[in-house]
């Protein structure tokens, strides 16, 4: 005789009260702290069993999302009462291990296929005790259960709204959670796809003996057979919770029978909604709802307890009722790190439109702009004018690398950033693991594009033709790229809009380059206070090094002639005002920098020190959890 185990998972809420911010805060409220606080949920008591689907119904502001968030332990504010899963209080850790929450909007990584998205989700959420073959089978099963087999090789951004929503659900289903919460899973879907998704969820609950809670704002009558339980909320209070089939008997018994040919779900939703069309209607409907709430507290206990019967015991060997895969622990930090790294590269090197677009942006934008720069500057003559021309060329190199680094990061990093916020909220990994994977992911990509672009301009114009100088020229421009990249990444930890981040970062870089590079204004001519401020900016050292790399000991620039439209003027061994301004490259450097500014080895090393400093700063920023009002906007 096979071993037998209990199969009935139960979610119970007992006298749950929750208070928090009632209105969306203004920017000033976010910064200064004063908030309009109040009760959001009031004395919520309900239960739902394994194999059941419960719909949380209510108008906007009724507390549907708040109810899901307090169960998921993601709500801000104060919560009182008991929330139990199998008689155990749900903590944040317990929820992350055995449950999941599908938010109304999910942001998936472009470039990945449906199958890859699910595969990497399994690697990030299922522990090493579960074999790779089991994970692959689980991915296949989730695709079959959510009807995604036909689109398994499609890139996620090409999916229809219904397919995209089913993929977002499948990402969580891969983990095989005991409790699945879904916020508006049918939002903006047509009736056919709404019916399709609800039927899939109902089948999943019964097939795997799981608990499913979904919030809905406008339920249709054709999904009625798939809902085992329903909870009506109004202003955070329960109007009814219990069996869907007994709902009709209950409301009939208290004098509110559902008219024939009416959608009972919508009829009783309207009954539970305050009518704001006039003051009289508002008072009348509010009084009626208060009466319904009080009546259910007195008479609703037996309806709340009644549900769909489930078997008392099941066969442990039945594959449908295995322990959830989340019960076998989570993957190690190393496994998560390498999964994130592989996922990042997979999203870039797939053969689809999104991947190719990102690939071209990363690899061709800087070489393309440097090619234009080459056409503009070629040939680089050796007259007196060349000093200013070469200085302008160095300035343009710094600007192109800095601005394009900001643009590339603003565009390509945003999906990873948003996905990180969602996955970290589910407890999959922390900010340090994420940002370290992004640093390593970007390293070879940034190095290749900068070195190719810098080589085009250095060898093509040409600049001072010594190979060691070429290598250092490329290396210093790469440090500038990394500096601008991580400045943008840090800003994107707080600013949601990619365009706003781009503009903000560009303004900061313009100040840096103008102040400290020595290519716009001579450093020795700066006011003292600005001169000392420039010590904290990478462009001081990068500009000084690039200028010294090009001008110092450049034999092509010694005693160069002055040329105008009609004649050439020979330059003697001293400068001739108006004609022969610079005797040689060293003389030019002396006019722009002090001798202390031109220590090449020190400047070169400090540029790389800034790179390490920006990496550490990025790690620190992602180590510190941002305020809730910042992280929340990446989940809406």
């Amino acid at each position: 005789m096979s071993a037998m185990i209990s199969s009935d998972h139960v979610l119970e809420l007992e006298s749950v009260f929750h208070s928090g911010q009632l209105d969306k805060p203004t920017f000033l409220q976010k910064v200064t702290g004063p908030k309009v606080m109040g009760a959001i949920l009031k004395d919520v008591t309900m239960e739902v069993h394994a194999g059941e689907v419960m719909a949380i119904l209510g108008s906007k502001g009724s507390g549907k999302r708040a109810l899901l968030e307090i169960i998921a332990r993601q709500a801000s504010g104060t919560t009182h009462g008991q929330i139990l899963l199998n008689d155990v209080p749900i903590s944040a850790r317990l929820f992350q291990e055995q449950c999941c929450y599908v938010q109304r909007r999910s942001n998936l990584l472009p470039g990945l296929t449906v199958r890859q998205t699910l595969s990497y989700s399994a690697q990030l959420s299922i522990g090493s005790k579960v074999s790779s073959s089991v994970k692959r089978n689980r991915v296949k099963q989730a695709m079959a259960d959510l009807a995604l087999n036909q689109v398994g090789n499609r890139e996620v951004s090409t999916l229809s709204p219904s397919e995209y929503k089913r993929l977002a659900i499948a990402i969580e289903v891969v983990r095989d959670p005991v409790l699945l919460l879904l916020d508006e899973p049918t939002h903006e879907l047509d009736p056919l796809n709404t019916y399709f998704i609800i039927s899939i969820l109902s089948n999943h609950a019964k097939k795997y003996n799981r608990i499913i809670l979904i919030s809905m704002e406008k339920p249709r009558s054709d999904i009625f057979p798939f809902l085992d339980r329903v909870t009506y909320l109004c202003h955070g209070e329960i109007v009814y919770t219990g069996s869907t089939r007994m709902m009709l008997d209950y409301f009939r018994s208290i004098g509110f029978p559902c008219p024939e040919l009416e959608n009972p779900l919508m009829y009783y939703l309207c009954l539970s909604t305050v009518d704001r069309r006039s003051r009289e209607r508002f008072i009348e409907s509010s009084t009626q709802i208060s009466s319904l709430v009080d009546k259910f507290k007195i008479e609703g206990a037996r309806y709340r307890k009644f549900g769909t019967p489930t078997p008392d015991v099941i066969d442990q060997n039945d594959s449908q009722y295995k322990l959830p895969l989340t019960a076998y622990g989570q993957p190690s930090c190393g496994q998560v790190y390498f999964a994130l790294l592989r996922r990042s590269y997979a999203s870039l090197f797939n053969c689809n439109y999104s991947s190719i677009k990102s690939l071209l942006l990363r690899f061709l934008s800087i070489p393309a702009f440097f090619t234009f720069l080459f056409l503009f500057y070629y040939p680089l003559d050796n007259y007196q004018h060349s000093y200013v021309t070469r200085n302008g060329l160095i300035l343009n190199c710094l600007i192109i690398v800095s601005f394009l680094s900001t643009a590339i990061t603003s565009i390509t990093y945003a999906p990873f950033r948003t996905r990180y916020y969602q996955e970290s909220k589910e407890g999959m990994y922390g900010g340090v693991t994420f940002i370290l994977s992004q640093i390593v992911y970007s390293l070879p990509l940034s190095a290749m594009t900068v070195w190719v672009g810098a080589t085009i301009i250095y060898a093509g114009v040409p600049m001072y033709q010594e190979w060691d100088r070429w290598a250092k020229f490329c290396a210093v421009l790469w440090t500038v790229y990394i500096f601008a990249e991580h400045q943008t990444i840090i800003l994107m930890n707080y600013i949601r809009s990619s365009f706003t981040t781009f503009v903000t970062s560009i303004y900061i870089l313009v100040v840096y380059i103008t102040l400290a590079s020595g290519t716009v204004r001579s450093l020795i001519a700066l006011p003292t206070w600005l001169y000392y401020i420039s010590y904290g900016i990478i462009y001081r050292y990068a500009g000084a090094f690039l200028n010294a790399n090009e001008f110092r000991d450049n034999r092509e620039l010694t005693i160069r002639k002055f040329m105008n439209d009609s004649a050439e003027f020979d330059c003697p061994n001293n400068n001739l005002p108006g004609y022969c301004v610079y005797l040689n490259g060293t003389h030019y450097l002396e006019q722009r920098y002090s001798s202390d500014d031109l220590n090449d080895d020190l400047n070169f090393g400090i540029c790389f020190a800034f790179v390490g400093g920006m990496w550490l700063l990025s790690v620190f920023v992602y180590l510190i959890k941002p305020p809730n009002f910042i992280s929340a906007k990446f989940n809406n």
Side-chain angles (χ1 to χ4, degrees), residues 375-426:
L375 296 175
F376 183 77
Y377 278 95
Y378 178 82
L380 191 61
D381 60 46
N382 293 320
Y383 291 99
Q384 281 284 319
H385 308 78
S386 180
Y387 290 99
V388 176
T389 302
R390 291 169 191 266
N391 176 75
L393 176 59
I394 292 171
L395 171 62
N396 283 319
C397 289
L398 290 172
I399 290 174
I400 286 175
V401 169
S402 301
F403 286 14
L404 286 181
S405 173
T406 301
I408 292 168
T409 306
S410 298
I411 295 171
T412 61
Y413 178 72
F416 293 95
R417 180 270 320 269
T418 306
R419 191 66 196 152
Y420 151 70
Y421 268 105
Q422 294 180 346
E423 292 178 334
S424 64
K425 203 168 185 179
E426 297 171 7

Side-chain angles (χ1 to χ4, degrees), residues 451-467:
W451 282 60
V452 169
T455 301
I456 290 172
I457 196 69
Y458 196 93
V461 172
M463 298 177 75
Y464 196 171
Q465 293 296 287
E466 288 186 2
W467 291 110

Side-chain angles (χ1 to χ4, degrees), residues 282-295:
F282 176 80
I283 294 173
E284 181 184 351
S285 60
S286 297
T287 303
Q288 178 177 281
I289 290 171
S290 296
S291 175
L292 290 172
V293 170
D294 293 337
K295 190 175 290 290

Side-chain angles (χ1 to χ4, degrees), residues 543-606:
F545 180 86
L546 293 177
N547 274 285
N549 193 61
E550 176 62 20
F551 289 104
R552 179 179 283 133
D553 301 326
N554 190 335
R555 294 179 298 275
E556 299 296 328
L557 297 177
T558 302
I559 313 298
R560 291 292 96 191
K561 294 181 178 182
F562 174 84
M563 182 182 69
N564 61 15
D565 292 336
S566 59
E568 296 181 3
F569 297 91
D570 289 330
C571 293
N573 289 332
N574 59 346
N575 61 335
L576 184 63
Y579 295 101
C580 303
V581 180
Y582 303 110
L583 298 176
N584 49 46
T586 302
H587 183 214
Y588 168 80
L589 293 173
E590 290 171 351
Q591 307 305 307
R592 306 191 72 83
Y593 301 95
S594 68
S595 57
D596 294 336
D597 296 328
L598 295 173
N599 187 326
D600 290 354
D601 292 338
L602 180 63
N603 289 337
F604 188 77
I606 290 178

Side-chain angles (χ1 to χ4, degrees), residues 179-430:
L179 171 63
L180 179 61
L181 309 179
L182 302 102
D183 183 19
E184 297 280 357
T186 59
H187 179 66
E188 296 182 345
L189 296 184
D190 59 74
L192 180 59
N193 282 303
T194 296
Y195 178 89
F196 189 35
I197 286 181
I198 299 300
S199 65
I200 285 175
L201 292 173
S202 175
N203 180 66
H204 178 83
K206 291 169 177 55
K207 180 179 179 181
Y208 298 102
N209 212 42
R210 300 302 185 226
I211 304 171
I212 295 180
L213 269 68
I214 59 176
S215 67
M216 301 186 75
E217 195 164 325
K218 295 180 180 179
R220 293 175 52 85
S221 60
D222 55 0
I223 68 168
F224 187 93
F226 300 112
L227 303 180
D228 304 291
R229 292 177 184 262
V230 64
T231 295
Y232 284 100
L233 290 175
C234 182
H235 294 313
E237 295 187 282
I238 288 183
V239 177
Y240 174 84
T241 181
S243 166
T244 312
R245 290 161 183 80
M246 292 189 69
M247 175 184 68
L248 300 175
D249 294 335
Y250 168 74
F251 280 106
R252 187 183 301 112
S253 70
I254 62 174
F256 293 97
C258 180
E260 290 188 17
L261 304 181
E262 281 278 357
N263 173 6
L265 295 173
M266 278 302 296
Y267 180 78
Y268 292 119
L269 176 58
C270 293
L271 187 68
S272 308
T273 302
V274 174
D275 190 339
R276 302 178 184 276
R277 288 178 290 180
S278 68
R279 184 174 181 274
E280 292 74 15
R281 289 175 181 266
F282 176 80
I283 294 173
E284 181 184 351
S285 60
S286 297
T287 303
Q288 178 177 281
I289 290 171
S290 296
S291 175
L292 290 172
V293 170
D294 293 337
K295 190 175 290 290
F296 189 77
K297 288 180 179 178
I298 298 171
E299 303 179 13
R302 66 189 185 94
Y303 297 94
R304 186 173 64 245
K305 293 288 184 181
F306 182 86
T308 304
T310 54
D312 293 329
V313 292
I314 57 174
D315 190 338
Q316 190 177 15
N317 296 323
D318 190 335
S319 62
Q320 292 184 352
Y321 299 106
K322 290 179 180 178
L323 286 173
L325 296 181
T326 52
Y328 296 96
Q330 293 183 317
S332 65
C333 289
Q335 291 172 317
V336 170
Y337 168 78
F338 285 109
L340 289 173
L341 194 59
R342 290 195 302 270
R343 185 174 70 173
S344 299
Y345 281 119
S347 69
L348 185 65
F349 291 104
N350 269 342
C351 188
N352 54 55
Y353 175 75
S354 294
S355 294
I356 293 173
K357 182 176 68 174
S358 296
L359 196 66
L360 293 179
L361 181 65
R362 279 189 171 275
F363 282 108
L364 295 187
S365 55
I366 289 181
F369 270 85
F370 272 115
T371 299
F372 169 77
L373 207 61
F374 155 72
L375 296 175
F376 183 77
Y377 278 95
Y378 178 82
L380 191 61
D381 60 46
N382 293 320
Y383 291 99
Q384 281 284 319
H385 308 78
S386 180
Y387 290 99
V388 176
T389 302
R390 291 169 191 266
N391 176 75
L393 176 59
I394 292 171
L395 171 62
N396 283 319
C397 289
L398 290 172
I399 290 174
I400 286 175
V401 169
S402 301
F403 286 14
L404 286 181
S405 173
T406 301
I408 292 168
T409 306
S410 298
I411 295 171
T412 61
Y413 178 72
F416 293 95
R417 180 270 320 269
T418 306
R419 191 66 196 152
Y420 151 70
Y421 268 105
Q422 294 180 346
E423 292 178 334
S424 64
K425 203 168 185 179
E426 297 171 7
M428 290 189 183
Y429 51 85

